Amino acid sequence: MDSRQREQLASRALAGYVSGPGAPITATHLALERIDTAVAVILVEGISDQIAIETLASRQGRDLDHEGIVVLPMGGAQAITRFARQLGPAGERLALAGFCDADATTAFCQGLAKARIGFPQTAAEMARLGFHVCDRDLEEELIRSVGPEEVEDILETQGDLSSFRTFQKQPQWRGRPVADQLRRFFGSKAKRHLRYARLMIEVVDLDRAPKPLEATLARF
């Protein structure tokens, strides 16, 4: 695969999604514009989460737009209270579900309680309400599901493998587990984690897809 082909593949990975400094706000507004015709909303922290779950739904043969399901990237876990109140039983009365990173568990528990959706204290109690927690974060879930070796193969198709090898040689990351190195590498550039969220979901075996995403989609 030459550089032009890699560039085209990278471009397609973000087709239909916004990126750049103002992307979080824009992505939230674009999703909210579709609420009027929605019957259910999946609340997620950011655009990479949106990309991953929409791509997984497509691979499962689902059309979320046709089903009236909107994936809403909130721009951060702290916004859960606002949107759960606005869209849940105290507001639009839409069916809600979602997932978050492990470090957002407390914010989600508190937000769901303030929105009177439930009063969860743990990830297990959140799951019973339709909200699921990644073991650490989305990137770790994706890397584990795909497998580090196959993720490196994806890096090669994007022309990023040599950069990753250089990253692995950095003193603070030398000798660390490859999965941890990959997770940090994806977070080192703004668009990188967005592109690879889609690329990894596109290749993962469906029976090994990240459980928090599967469970969220299965809610509806």
Side-chain angles (χ1 to χ4, degrees):
M1 180 179 292
D2 61 27
S3 61
R4 180 172 173 275
Q5 290 173 314
R6 287 196 297 266
E7 187 175 324
Q8 289 177 339
L9 180 58
S11 175
R12 289 197 300 272
L14 291 180
Y17 294 97
V18 295
S19 60
I25 294 173
T26 300
T28 301
H29 286 323
L30 289 172
L32 288 173
E33 288 176 355
R34 299 159 51 214
I35 292 297
D36 288 346
T37 58
V39 297
V41 179
I42 294 174
L43 300 174
V44 297
E45 293 183 71
I47 299 172
S48 61
D49 307 299
Q50 177 191 15
I51 291 172
I53 199 162
E54 289 181 346
T55 304
L56 180 59
S58 178
R59 287 204 59 207
Q60 291 176 343
R62 299 184 61 174
D63 184 339
L64 297 185
D65 285 340
H66 182 74
E67 294 177 38
I69 300 172
V70 172
V71 180
L72 174 61
M74 301 181 295
Q78 297 304 320
I80 182 66
T81 301
R82 169 193 169 191
F83 290 115
R85 280 175 170 166
Q86 177 182 340
L87 303 173
E92 299 289 338
R93 298 181 180 274
L94 297 171
L96 300 181
F99 68 93
C100 65
D101 293 343
D103 63 6
T105 303
T106 298
F108 265 59
C109 285
Q110 293 175 347
L112 295 172
K114 290 175 182 177
R116 302 290 174 177
I117 291 173
F119 299 91
Q121 300 294 314
T122 65
E125 291 174 359
M126 278 177 54
R128 287 193 282 272
L129 297 174
F131 291 83
H132 303 273
V133 181
C134 297
D135 280 348
R136 185 158 42 163
D137 54 27
L138 174 65
E139 287 71 30
E140 182 180 62
E141 293 278 356
L142 291 171
I143 293 164
R144 181 172 60 247
S145 296
V146 175
E149 289 187 6
E150 189 161 357
V151 174
E152 289 189 354
D153 290 342
I154 301 171
L155 289 174
E156 188 170 17
T157 71
Q158 296 294 290
D160 284 335
L161 187 57
S162 61
S163 295
F164 177 60
R165 294 293 184 233
T166 299
F167 173 84
Q168 289 179 299
K169 296 174 184 176
Q170 294 181 8
Q172 64 269 42
W173 290 100
R174 190 180 300 131
R176 299 278 292 276
V178 175
D180 288 344
Q181 294 171 336
L182 286 165
R183 176 175 173 268
R184 180 65 186 90
F185 182 72
F186 289 142
S188 63
K189 285 191 177 180
K191 287 186 181 181
R192 185 177 283 158
H193 71 293
L194 303 182
R195 285 194 294 116
Y196 282 100
R198 187 168 199 168
L199 292 167
M200 285 190 282
I201 287 289
E202 289 283 10
V203 304
V204 71
D205 290 339
L206 288 179
D207 60 359
R208 290 179 53 84
K211 298 303 180 185
L213 279 68
E214 277 193 325
T216 299
L217 288 170
R219 185 75 173 183
F220 308 120

